[in-house]
Amino acid sequence: MILAGAGAKMDPHVRCIAHTLNLASQKAFKVDSVSELVVKVRKLVSFFHKSPKATEVLREIQTQLHLPNHKLFHDVSTRWNSTLDMLERFWEQQPAVLNTLLSRKIKRREAMASLTEDDMTLIPEIIKLMSPLKVATTLLSEEKNPTISIISPVQAKLQRQFQRDESDLEVISHMKDRFRQDFDGRYTYLEGTLHCASALDPRFKDLAFLDDSDAKDMVFMKITTEVVQMNGEEEASDTAMPNEDQATGTLEEDQTAETECDKSPSKEDKTDDAPPKKKTAMDQMFGDFLSARPPAKTIREKAKDEILKYRERDTLGLDGDVLQWWRLQVDLPLLSALAKRYLSIPATSVPAERVFSTAGDIVTAQRSLLHPDHVDQLIFLKKNL
């Protein structure tokens, strides 16, 4: 996909952030002690999946302990967050699992013997650390709301979540380091674009994820420049210094103009014989009614005025409809046009994919691509292949 984007000269090419988060989370799970723990839990889950008797006893004990009648979940390498789902489900059912393995009805109980006290302490810590990634993936996979504007806030949130803390277990600190080593370097090439997208989202226009107020102002300066470029007005930077050729040309032009001034007749040489221009009847009647109009504003000035209005308006609630909000801002035509360009970019390809999951024969498909009847046909075919 990266090579295809480069070959097609797509600019900007926003890589799927859900894939990116999945890759970074996999790196975190590859910490030695964590990967060993995952293997142990996976072995335990496999035991229950393969033993109808163990599953039956588990259900009985779930009822006795008033736990949800949930099956243990097996992770799949191609399914995002499935390792976390497996650990969450195991932790939810661990009282029932423990009692089931101690039951005399079950012949194989060695599966639980490999889980140590340290393992049991580590599982809830891993769940606590990795849960925000699952929330972020779900949030960024929405279909009905703009998502590219969420990338920068999500990045900032996750970077804070994965900061080392003195109270962390050593293993958790290693997981945080692995995640940040993989995640922090991504999207740096798109930082300006992502910040502009967030600024044009009325939910995040305050750019609270940026600590520096000057950085926030720079984002809106970039937006102003883009509005000018989009509307075809050439920029003239007030601070730009002319290069040597420009300076030489300017100097020669000034000298030429000065020479022509010397050759032009002076006021004394001019004759005062020219008659004054005669006023029309319209000028005589209504001339005093007319007031001088101010010069028309440039696109840059209009953009600055719109940005000032936009920043002064109330922030949209997190559950608000961003696109509908922009439709109502009829007095911000320049910003609205630019917002459409940014907010139409998806952050992830997940909603457009058809995913066949081996766990539970689940098929998800974007409704705009597949009719619900076709989805049912796909499920039927998969079950009968």
Side-chain angles (χ1 to χ4, degrees):
M1 294 302 295
I2 294 172
L3 289 174
K9 297 181 179 179
M10 294 179 179
D11 185 29
H13 179 202
V14 181
R15 300 173 189 175
C16 176
I17 190 171
H19 284 86
T20 302
L21 289 174
N22 182 52
L23 292 173
S25 64
Q26 286 181 358
K27 294 290 177 64
F29 276 115
K30 286 181 180 177
V31 172
D32 291 340
S33 54
V34 177
S35 60
E36 291 171 5
L37 170 61
V38 170
V39 169
K40 293 176 185 178
V41 175
R42 188 181 296 131
K43 179 182 176 182
L44 180 61
V45 172
S46 297
F47 167 67
F48 277 91
H49 280 197
K50 293 175 182 178
S51 173
K53 185 63 177 178
T55 302
E56 181 184 347
V57 175
L58 177 63
R59 287 177 181 172
E60 292 175 0
I61 296 178
Q62 284 174 335
T63 304
Q64 294 172 9
L65 297 177
H66 304 289
L67 290 173
N69 189 10
H70 292 161
K71 293 182 179 180
L72 295 180
F73 189 87
H74 202 299
D75 66 333
V76 181
S77 59
T78 55
R79 286 196 65 191
W80 302 334
N81 303 313
S82 62
T83 302
L84 176 62
D85 290 338
M86 181 178 71
L87 293 176
E88 285 180 333
R89 180 59 56 81
F90 170 77
W91 190 249
E92 174 196 85
Q93 297 295 331
Q94 58 94 10
V97 171
L98 270 172
N99 281 277
T100 301
L101 292 171
L102 294 173
S103 173
R104 294 180 180 180
K105 298 178 183 179
I106 304 300
K107 293 181 179 180
R108 290 187 58 186
R109 295 190 293 272
E110 68 274 12
M112 193 60 189
S114 59
L115 281 172
T116 65
E117 187 177 342
D118 289 340
D119 291 334
M120 300 300 286
T121 303
L122 183 57
I123 290 174
E125 293 297 323
I126 294 174
I127 293 172
K128 179 182 176 182
L129 175 67
M130 303 302 287
S131 291
L133 288 176
K134 182 178 178 180
V135 176
T137 304
T138 303
L139 183 65
L140 290 160
S141 301
E142 287 188 1
E143 297 182 55
K144 296 183 179 180
N145 287 307
T147 51
I148 187 178
S149 57
I150 305 177
I151 294 180
S152 286
V154 164
Q155 275 186 306
K157 199 78 174 178
L158 291 179
Q159 285 168 351
R160 291 170 188 166
Q161 168 74 15
F162 282 82
Q163 286 281 4
R164 272 183 171 246
D165 191 275
E166 293 180 358
S167 61
D168 288 339
L169 297 174
E170 185 177 357
V171 178
I172 297 298
S173 295
H174 290 327
M175 289 184 72
K176 288 182 174 182
D177 292 342
R178 289 283 185 91
F179 177 85
R180 294 202 61 172
Q181 285 169 9
D182 187 86
F183 184 70
D184 284 1
R186 299 179 184 268
Y187 295 105
T188 52
Y189 69 103
L190 278 176
E191 187 176 84
T193 299
L194 298 178
H195 286 175
C196 286
S198 298
L200 289 169
D201 188 324
R203 298 170 297 178
F204 306 111
K205 67 186 182 72
D206 292 337
L207 301 177
F209 57 90
L210 295 179
D211 297 327
D212 187 1
S213 58
D214 291 337
K216 298 177 183 180
D217 292 336
M218 287 296 294
V219 171
F220 283 100
M221 286 175 64
K222 184 175 184 295
I223 289 175
T224 303
T225 301
E226 289 198 33
V227 169
V228 172
Q229 292 173 347
M230 186 174 69
N231 286 273
E233 181 178 296
E234 295 184 4
E235 289 190 77
S237 177
D238 296 333
T239 57
M241 294 296 292
N243 59 33
E244 190 174 343
D245 295 335
Q246 290 174 329
T248 304
T250 304
L251 182 59
E252 291 175 353
E253 289 172 4
D254 290 344
Q255 290 173 341
T256 303
E258 200 173 316
T259 305
E260 289 178 355
C261 283
D262 292 341
K263 293 179 181 179
S264 63
S266 63
K267 290 182 180 179
E268 295 175 358
D269 297 333
K270 292 181 181 179
T271 60
D272 297 328
D273 298 337
K277 185 179 178 181
K278 187 176 180 180
K279 288 185 177 182
T280 64
M282 186 69 74
D283 288 333
Q284 294 178 31
M285 181 65 68
F286 302 113
D288 58 335
F289 286 179
L290 300 178
S291 58
R293 290 185 178 181
K297 288 186 176 181
T298 64
I299 295 294
R300 177 174 290 277
E301 291 171 337
K302 291 178 181 178
K304 288 181 177 179
D305 289 345
E306 287 192 15
I307 287 174
L308 185 60
K309 291 180 185 177
Y310 174 62
R311 296 184 74 175
E312 288 177 347
R313 290 183 182 173
D314 293 337
T315 303
L316 182 67
L318 293 175
D319 57 346
D321 188 329
V322 177
L323 302 181
Q324 180 62 26
W325 188 92
W326 273 112
R327 289 190 191 101
L328 299 176
Q329 311 309 308
V330 293
D331 60 332
L332 305 177
L334 298 176
L335 281 185
S336 295
L338 186 63
K340 288 179 184 178
R341 289 191 176 190
Y342 272 98
L343 300 181
S344 63
I345 304 173
T348 173
S349 60
V350 173
E353 294 177 355
R354 296 186 299 275
V355 183
F356 291 83
S357 171
T358 56
D361 291 325
I362 299 172
V363 179
T364 57
Q366 186 179 18
R367 292 183 179 179
S368 60
L369 297 180
L370 287 177
H371 189 276
D373 292 341
H374 296 165
V375 176
D376 293 337
Q377 292 170 15
L378 288 172
I379 295 174
F380 175 82
L381 289 172
K382 177 164 175 54
K383 287 182 177 180
N384 289 276
L385 287 177

